[in-house]
Amino acid sequence: ANMLVTGGSGFLGGLLVRKLLDDGHHVTSVDLLPSELTHPRFDPIVGDIRNRALLDATFAAIAASTSRCMYFICVAQAVDRS
């Protein structure tokens, strides 16, 4: 199945991406930050989910699959990293 995870480079999103990959899914992630994860079934996209053209293109690619799901996990970072 094709899965889309927004915020896939963050802590929770990254855990979800790894779990989905472990379960055999193909995962696309959209995040402002680049992902350190590399996997043959993982397609990270560095971009802003507020970019309508980017999302339209991403949704079109995901929609070509007969089985698909989206996880919306991205958030604005409100606390500085320590």
Side-chain angles (χ1 to χ4, degrees):
N2 283 334
M3 304 290 177
L4 173 61
V5 178
T6 63
S9 294
F11 178 73
L12 294 177
L15 292 174
L16 176 59
V17 166
R18 286 175 181 80
K19 173 65 174 148
L20 293 170
L21 291 169
D22 288 346
D23 289 348
H25 300 289
H26 183 274
V27 180
T28 300
S29 169
V30 178
D31 201 308
L32 285 172
L33 302 173
S35 176
E36 296 178 4
L37 178 64
T38 58
H39 192 283
R41 285 182 278 109
F42 179 55
D43 295 320
I45 298 172
V46 177
D48 193 327
I49 64 161
R50 297 173 292 180
N51 180 333
R52 180 65 186 256
L54 172 69
L55 282 187
D56 285 347
T58 303
F59 289 154
I62 297 294
S65 170
T66 57
S67 177
R68 56 201 172 269
C69 184
M70 178 180 171
Y71 294 91
F72 183 80
I73 299 182
C74 65
V75 295
Q77 186 174 350
V79 179
D80 289 334
R81 288 190 160 165
S82 55

